[in-house]
Amino acid sequence: MTAAPLLVLVGPTAAGKSAVALAVAEAVGGEIVSADSVQVYRGVDLGSAKPTAAEQARVRHHCIDLADPTEQLDAATWAAAADAAIADARARGRVPIVCGGTGLYVRALLHGLTDLPDPPPDVRDAVRADLAARGPAALHAELAAVDPQAAARVPPTDPQRITRALEVYRATGRPLSAWQADHGFRPRRYDAHVVGLWPDRDVLRARIYARARAMLASGWPDEVRALLARGVPPDAPPLRALGYREVVAHVLGHLPAADLPDAVARGHWQYARRQLTWFRGITTREDALVHHEPGAPDLVARLSRTASEPAP
């Protein structure tokens, strides 16, 4: 473990994490390590709520713009980049603050990734053939029958994670969630204060719907048009991400403009509910998450003090 504690801010989309992280970083001489699986892609900015040029001028940000949108960047690659960013910030006397809502990234950073057996090629080929023949929704239903915990964390629209979980189950006869539960007993890679930020559910839902409209008004469809015009395929990894797939459908003429804001907001709200389940769960699991209301008037002062305290 490292000697200095790490401040990790997590929570659902639109909870206000980035604004709090920015203020705390300015207060303590910190730098932000983004734990967002869409912000890692270059040119994918508006729909990922990537920090603006002005925000990056105020506080240095790491782990954004790591890959082209045609590439697939996994949690292991992100965690290696985050390790390097944390070490670099500390070497310069800065305080690294990890901030984001991608639970797998945070888990990979704090605990490493689960050592899973590599499924045999015949199992992998069979699962992918099933995906092509039956579609992701049918495979998600199959996953729910054999590994309900994994299925609850994976949306039916995420074929990559669905097939991975089914590959593990078919190859080993053991659910992916069981492998991950065993892995949870490993010691942390970092001493850390894990802080969860989310408001009341009704407040969060209203924020999500307002932010979806604001993102669309700021030119999100034009950003997607520019990516497609550059030759980025509509099924590129970031364009399959939450919100982006709805905007892609609109740009390609499959979703009317009048229906787009609600479609984006509904998807974000469903994702936020899954994030809340995940992050509330680690309140009592190995990471001892402490929840704070993001709108509390003394929050920045409290977290600034926390950043210098020994980790639990």
Side-chain angles (χ1 to χ4, degrees), residues 124-271:
R124 185 178 295 112
D125 291 345
V127 172
R128 293 178 183 179
D130 280 352
L131 175 66
R134 298 163 54 202
L139 264 64
H140 189 271
E142 179 182 335
L143 179 62
V146 298
D147 190 352
Q149 292 184 26
R153 294 195 297 264
V154 179
T157 53
D158 190 339
Q160 182 180 0
R161 292 170 66 194
I162 294 168
T163 55
R164 177 58 173 157
L166 281 176
E167 287 170 2
V168 169
Y169 179 77
R170 291 188 186 181
T172 67
R174 193 165 183 244
L176 174 62
S177 58
W179 289 95
Q180 292 171 334
D182 288 349
H183 178 79
F185 291 103
R186 289 188 177 187
R188 282 187 184 178
R189 300 175 66 244
Y190 289 91
D191 285 317
H193 298 283
V194 183
V195 174
L197 300 176
W198 55 80
D200 172 82
R201 287 171 71 93
D202 290 339
V203 172
L204 179 61
R205 190 173 188 274
R207 282 189 183 183
I208 286 170
Y209 274 74
R211 192 173 76 158
R213 291 191 293 270
M215 284 176 165
L216 291 166
S218 71
W220 190 2
D222 291 334
E223 177 185 277
V224 169
R225 289 187 186 96
L227 289 167
L228 296 175
R230 280 173 38 200
V232 177
D235 62 348
L239 297 189
R240 296 197 306 265
L242 192 71
Y244 273 94
R245 57 178 172 260
E246 288 83 6
V247 177
V248 168
H250 164 65
V251 168
L252 295 179
H254 306 313
L255 181 64
D259 297 336
L260 182 58
D262 279 348
V264 169
R266 280 197 307 272
H268 277 141
W269 173 235
Q270 291 166 1
Y271 178 54

Side-chain angles (χ1 to χ4, degrees), residues 9 17-27 32 51 54-56 58-59 61 97 99:
L9 305 183
K17 302 181 298 294
S18 297
V20 172
L22 196 68
V24 173
E26 289 182 314
I32 295 172
E55 290 167 338
Q56 293 184 55
R58 289 169 56 190
V59 169
H61 287 68
I97 300 170
C99 175

